[in-house]
């Protein structure tokens, strides 16, 4: 009896599915928990500081030192941010299938630092006059300086692609999912994670944007590089206290191969009948609504022994394949509804350049600094969501979670559509003031309109983050198979990335359609002659239509069962 108690106590002191840095079972008292989570939160703060130090004011750099038009610069920013948001799928695949999260973070950090270093070098070359025709005020940087800039910019995107999906998942790995106390702590981890990275983003926008516009761009790109180096150092300092998930040593343990085989086997067995195969509905674990109407039943044919004698897939693999298929419609809707989000680092910033940016006598802020209000809004909205909104929602719905994950995403979509309406009205107001003061053909003259008019739409973006962005991350993390949770987080990021590509495509098409025959393009370089407000109305309509489709799809969605996760 005493030996049994000692054995039970020994199991309690170790995490069953994790090891320490030596490869031994991870002890609860010496690894993981908040002691290691804070290191990882610190890493993410440094990485977000670096990323937004580049992203927040990129359109100003493209239209300034690089001499691009507003429309071209907006397309380039959308293409880059879209690439940076889609590459996490590749990074998550490499981590989940081959390297593991820890090694992927290390490799991605080195690529990240290389990209930021080369970005700083390209800015220095322009600053020191090494580009062609440096004495000509209208001259643009040389071809090779442009090549260096864009190569380094996309190296940053590659580094971010490996870093972003793995760090958050690795942080969650520090809490034992079998320990009730640590499960509660893991919930708090996500809250502190989002609050901390928002603080890092706000600090970056305030400090880096100011340095870029008031000191020089080389220092402005060098500071993010320094912070990324610091993030890597912090990450390495925590190496001995991290918990590292065990690799699955079972045969055919690669989740991608197992789930992919379900689709192949189901296609090969498409002509076979489930009724004659001996597989009853008891094996089809979609829930009553799913089994009654036969949606996704075709995937269950992968469990039939094929004519070629191939080994049938397991019920677990079929269920995981079904879980992924169910996510596709939600993911598509997320792509469309995220298009408005791409505007805050492009047109919102360019609009801010044209108005009065004095917040105090003698103190003028860079337009990109307005992005810091997103972080301020998040810092306020998260506690309000946790301590005000959720308790009220629980009282109304009588559900322990207050609202479902899909309902949370839906609220974010409504706010996003409303924000585009607000942005359109503010831009209409700016154009009216410019017209009243005869400034339509004077783009370099400040429009007598306070920059504070733009603050509400930035505050709304923070609220949209709390509902839509966090809700989407939670949804995809929770609804994918357990072994693919890095991929789940990457899917939520890729929706935003693809929406940036679609935004760039829309801008290109509208620029061509409205700028023909010497007409005033909606995205005229002279914003006083442009009609960005029309674009915002169009995006508001897109988001409203997407929300209607989302309501229909979410009613049909079958949540992944808790005992299947």
């Amino acid at each position: 009896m005493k030996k049994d108690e000692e054995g039970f106590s020994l199991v309690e002191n170790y995490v069953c599915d994790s090891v320490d840095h030596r490869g031994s079972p991870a002890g609860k008292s010496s690894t993981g928990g908040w002691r290691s989570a804070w290191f990882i939160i610190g890493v993410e703060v440094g990485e977000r500081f670096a990323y937004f130090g580049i992203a927040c004011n990129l359109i100003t750099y493209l239209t300034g030192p690089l001499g691009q038009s507003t429309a071209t610069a907006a397309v380039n920013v959308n293409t880059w941010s879209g690439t940076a948001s889609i590459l996490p799928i590749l990074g998550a695949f490499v981590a989940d299938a081959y390297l593991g999260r820890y090694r992927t973070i290390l490799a991605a950090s080195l690529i990240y630092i290389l990209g930021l270093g080369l970005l700083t070098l390209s800015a220095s070359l322009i600053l020191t006059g090494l580009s062609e025709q440096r004495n000509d005020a209208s001259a643009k940087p040389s071809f090779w300086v442009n090549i260096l800039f864009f190569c380094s910019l996309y190296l940053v995107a590659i580094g971010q692609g490996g870093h972003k999906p793995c760090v958050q998942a690795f942080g969650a790995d520090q809490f034992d999912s079998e320990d009730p106390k640590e499960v509660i702590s893991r919930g708090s981890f996500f809250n502190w994670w989002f609050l901390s990275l928002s603080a890092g983003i706000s600090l970056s926008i305030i400090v880096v944007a100011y340095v870029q516009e008031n000191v020089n761009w080389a220092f402005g790109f060098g500071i993010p590089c320094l912070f990324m180096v610091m993030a890597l150092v912090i990450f390495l300092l925590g190496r001995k206290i991290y918990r590292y998930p065990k690799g699955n040593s079972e045969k055919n343990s690669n989740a991608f191969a197992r789930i992919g085989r379900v689709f192949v086997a189901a296609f090969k067995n498409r002509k076979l009948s489930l009724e004659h195969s001996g597989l009853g509905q008891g094996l089809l674990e979609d829930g009553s609504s799913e089994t009654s109407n036969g949606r996704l039943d075709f995937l269950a044919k992968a469990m039939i022994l094929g004519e070629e004698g191939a080994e049938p897939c397991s019920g677990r693999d079929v269920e995981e394949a079904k879980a992924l298929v169910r996510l596709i419609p939600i993911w598509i809707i997320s792509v469309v509804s995220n298009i408005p989000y791409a505007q805050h680092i492009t047109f919102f910033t360019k609009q801010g350049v044209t108005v009065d940016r004095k917040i105090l006598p003698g103190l003028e802020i860079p337009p990109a600094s307005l992005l810091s209000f997103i972080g301020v809004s998040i810092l306020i909205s998260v506690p309000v969501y946790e301590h005000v909104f959720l308790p009220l929602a629980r009282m109304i719905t009588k559900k322990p979670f207050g609202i479902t994950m899909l309902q949370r995403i839906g609220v974010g979509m409504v706010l996003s559509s409303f924000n585009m309406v607000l942005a359109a009205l503010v831009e209409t107001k700016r154009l009216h003031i410019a017209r009243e003061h005869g400034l339509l053909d004077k783009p370099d003259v400040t429009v007598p309109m306070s920059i504070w008019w733009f603050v509400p739409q930035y505050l709304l973006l923070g609220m949209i983050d709390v509902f839509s962005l966090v809700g989407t991350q939670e949804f995809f993390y929770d609804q994918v198979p357990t072994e693919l949770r890095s991929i789940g987080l990457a899917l939520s990021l890729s929706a935003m990335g693809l929406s940036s590509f679609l935004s760039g495509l829309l801008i290109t098409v509208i620029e061509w359609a409205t700028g023909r025959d010497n007409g005033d393009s909606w995205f005229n370089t002279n914003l006083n002659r442009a009609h960005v407000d029309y674009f915002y109305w169009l995006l508001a309509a897109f988001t409203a239509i997407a929300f209607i489709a989302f309501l229909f799809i979410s009613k049909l969605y079958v949540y992944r069962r808790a005992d299947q996760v």
Side-chain angles (χ1 to χ4, degrees):
M1 183 70 177
K2 187 176 181 181
K3 287 184 178 180
D4 290 341
E5 289 177 355
E6 288 177 354
F8 181 72
S9 176
L10 189 63
V11 171
E12 276 190 325
N13 291 328
Y14 289 92
V15 182
C16 63
D17 59 353
S18 299
V19 296
D20 61 17
H21 71 288
R22 296 189 184 92
S24 304
K28 288 188 177 182
S29 60
S30 58
T31 65
W34 283 108
R35 71 172 69 79
S36 58
W38 281 116
F39 280 94
I40 298 169
I41 288 175
V43 171
E44 181 66 3
V45 170
E47 187 274 332
R48 289 291 86 186
F49 183 99
Y51 180 81
F52 276 89
I54 304 302
C56 72
N57 216 16
L58 183 58
I59 193 167
T60 304
Y61 185 73
L62 294 177
T63 55
L66 291 191
Q68 295 183 352
S69 69
T70 299
T72 301
V75 170
N76 280 328
V77 171
N78 283 327
T79 302
W80 175 73
S81 62
T83 303
S85 297
I86 285 178
L87 281 175
I89 292 180
L90 178 61
F93 172 77
V94 171
D96 286 347
Y98 299 106
L99 294 181
R101 289 168 192 146
Y102 179 80
R103 291 189 184 91
T104 303
I105 293 169
L106 284 181
S109 297
L110 294 174
I111 295 172
Y112 216 136
I113 292 168
L114 175 62
L116 290 169
L118 292 175
L119 202 63
T120 305
L121 175 62
S122 71
S124 299
L125 291 175
I126 296 175
L127 180 67
T128 55
L130 294 182
S131 58
E132 296 176 356
Q133 299 175 317
R134 59 184 178 274
N135 294 322
D136 185 353
S138 63
K140 296 181 181 180
S142 71
F143 171 79
W144 293 110
V145 172
N146 271 290
I147 290 293
L148 176 62
F149 170 77
F150 281 103
C151 285
S152 57
L153 193 65
Y154 279 89
L155 274 176
V156 171
I158 292 170
Q160 198 257 181
H163 200 278
K164 184 63 179 171
C166 296
V167 174
Q168 188 173 9
F170 190 64
D173 291 339
Q174 304 308 305
F175 300 93
D176 184 8
S177 59
E178 302 296 325
D179 186 327
K181 291 182 179 179
E182 293 202 17
V183 169
I184 294 173
S185 295
R186 187 172 64 181
S188 298
F189 164 78
F190 282 107
N191 292 332
W192 281 103
W193 173 275
F194 200 61
L195 284 169
S196 300
L197 70 87
S198 298
I201 292 170
S202 299
L203 180 64
S204 174
I205 291 166
I206 293 170
V207 174
V208 178
Y210 182 84
V211 171
Q212 288 169 345
E213 297 206 10
N214 294 280
V215 182
N216 63 57
W217 286 95
F219 276 111
F221 289 150
I223 293 173
C225 183
L226 177 62
F227 266 75
M228 196 60 216
V229 172
M230 292 168 58
L232 178 58
V233 171
I234 292 171
F235 185 65
L236 292 173
L237 287 175
R239 182 179 68 88
K240 293 185 177 180
I241 59 173
Y242 293 146
R243 291 175 186 170
Y244 304 85
K246 285 182 182 178
N248 195 333
S249 59
E250 295 178 8
K251 183 182 178 182
N252 299 325
S253 63
N254 189 304
F256 296 98
R258 288 190 291 101
I259 294 173
R261 199 166 71 86
V262 171
F263 294 99
V264 174
F267 178 77
K268 288 182 178 179
N269 297 340
R270 64 189 182 280
K271 295 181 180 179
L272 301 180
S273 172
L274 285 172
E275 285 75 13
H276 295 92
S277 66
L279 290 175
Q281 280 195 339
L283 290 176
L284 305 177
E285 300 174 353
D286 286 317
S288 57
S289 63
E290 192 87 19
T291 58
S292 61
N293 60 24
R295 282 184 292 114
L296 299 183
D297 277 3
F298 72 94
L299 287 176
K301 292 183 179 182
M303 293 189 288
I304 302 173
L305 183 63
E307 295 176 357
E308 300 175 2
E311 182 181 349
C313 299
S314 69
R316 173 197 172 195
D317 293 344
V318 170
E319 291 306 315
E320 291 180 346
K322 288 180 179 181
L324 289 179
V325 172
R326 293 189 200 105
L327 294 176
I328 294 174
I330 303 295
W331 182 82
I332 293 172
I333 294 296
S334 297
V335 170
V336 177
S337 64
N338 275 322
I339 293 176
Y341 198 84
Q343 312 316 313
H344 74 280
I345 58 173
T346 54
F347 293 121
F348 282 16
T349 302
K350 288 300 294 180
Q351 288 170 274
V353 174
T354 67
V355 299
D356 182 7
R357 290 179 276 130
K358 290 180 181 178
I359 57 173
L360 291 173
L363 179 60
E364 184 176 88
I365 63 170
S369 293
L370 282 178
L371 291 169
S372 62
F373 282 101
I374 300 176
V376 172
S377 178
I378 290 170
L379 293 173
I380 296 171
S381 298
V382 169
V384 170
Y385 178 83
E386 287 284 338
H387 301 294
V388 179
F389 179 82
L390 280 184
L392 287 174
R394 291 187 186 108
M395 288 175 58
I396 296 170
T397 64
K398 308 299 181 183
K399 296 178 180 178
F401 294 104
I403 58 175
T404 66
M405 290 177 282
L406 288 177
Q407 287 172 338
R408 183 174 184 175
I409 295 170
V411 172
M413 292 175 67
V414 172
L415 290 175
S416 182
S417 184
F418 176 73
N419 199 31
M420 282 296 97
V421 171
L422 178 63
L425 293 174
V426 171
E427 175 61 6
T428 301
K429 171 78 173 177
R430 191 191 68 83
L431 291 175
H432 178 69
I433 293 175
R435 191 178 299 108
E436 273 189 339
H437 289 80
L439 301 178
L440 291 183
D441 295 311
K442 299 177 181 179
D444 296 328
V445 178
T446 299
V447 176
M449 175 181 179
S450 174
I451 199 167
W452 290 106
W453 278 89
F454 294 88
V455 171
Q457 60 202 58
Y458 284 94
L459 294 176
L460 265 175
L461 280 170
M463 295 174 63
I464 293 166
D465 274 350
V466 171
F467 282 95
S468 189
L469 180 62
V470 178
T472 302
Q473 287 183 346
E474 181 186 5
F475 176 76
F476 281 98
Y477 180 84
D478 183 73
Q479 295 297 296
V480 297
T482 307
E483 296 166 87
L484 301 181
R485 282 181 166 167
S486 292
I487 286 288
L489 289 172
L491 281 173
S492 66
L493 292 170
S494 70
M496 189 171 292
L498 192 55
S499 69
S500 292
F501 282 122
L502 289 179
S503 176
L505 178 62
L506 269 176
I507 291 169
T508 302
V509 172
I510 293 171
E511 168 79 0
W512 171 80
T514 60
R516 290 182 300 173
D517 303 324
N518 297 319
D520 285 331
S521 165
W522 286 10
F523 312 114
N524 196 311
T525 301
N526 175 8
L527 283 185
N528 295 339
R529 283 286 184 185
H531 274 292
V532 180
D533 53 335
Y534 293 172
F535 183 54
Y536 291 158
W537 283 115
L538 181 64
L539 294 183
F542 277 176
T543 310
I545 294 169
F547 176 68
I548 294 171
F550 177 80
L551 287 178
F552 175 75
I553 291 171
S554 60
K555 286 182 179 180
L556 298 177
Y557 185 80
V558 180
Y559 279 92
R560 184 176 169 82
R561 277 185 3 200
D563 59 356
Q564 289 177 296
V565 176

